[in-house]
Amino acid sequence: MFFYYSGLDAVSDSDIDYFSEQITAYLQRNGVTARHTIHTTYQLVEDTLIARFTVTYNDPEQGAWVENYVAGKPFK
């Protein structure tokens, strides 16, 4: 469970889509074919929207593993 207090009341659908597309594009570029789920938390730090992704992969041959990613973009 994650709790962040950052003064951020909501994240727009366009921001959610932006970060989701970044992760999906990264996985496609790197040939990751395992099924995956993404849990995302957001935080506003010094006018930058930070997204922290916990990506859980599940592959029948390799098993399951977790990777963490961080992305940010200006928030004005």
Side-chain angles (χ1 to χ4, degrees):
M1 186 176 299
F2 294 91
F3 294 98
Y4 287 109
Y5 175 76
S6 63
L8 184 65
D9 295 325
V11 177
S12 72
D13 287 341
S14 64
D15 287 325
I16 292 169
D17 292 343
Y18 169 82
F19 286 124
S20 178
E21 289 169 8
Q22 295 300 307
I23 289 294
T24 300
Y26 172 82
L27 297 176
Q28 290 174 347
R29 279 192 311 272
N30 289 284
V32 177
T33 58
R35 289 183 306 141
H36 65 279
T37 57
I38 302 172
H39 174 78
T40 311
T41 57
Y42 298 92
Q43 187 175 18
L44 188 60
V45 178
E46 297 180 8
D47 295 327
T48 301
L49 178 63
I50 304 293
R52 289 181 171 79
F53 302 96
T54 300
V55 183
T56 303
Y57 299 94
N58 192 338
D59 184 285
E61 295 177 11
Q62 298 181 24
W65 70 96
V66 175
E67 293 182 4
N68 294 298
Y69 303 90
V70 178
K73 76 173 203 174
F75 187 84
K76 301 257 179 193

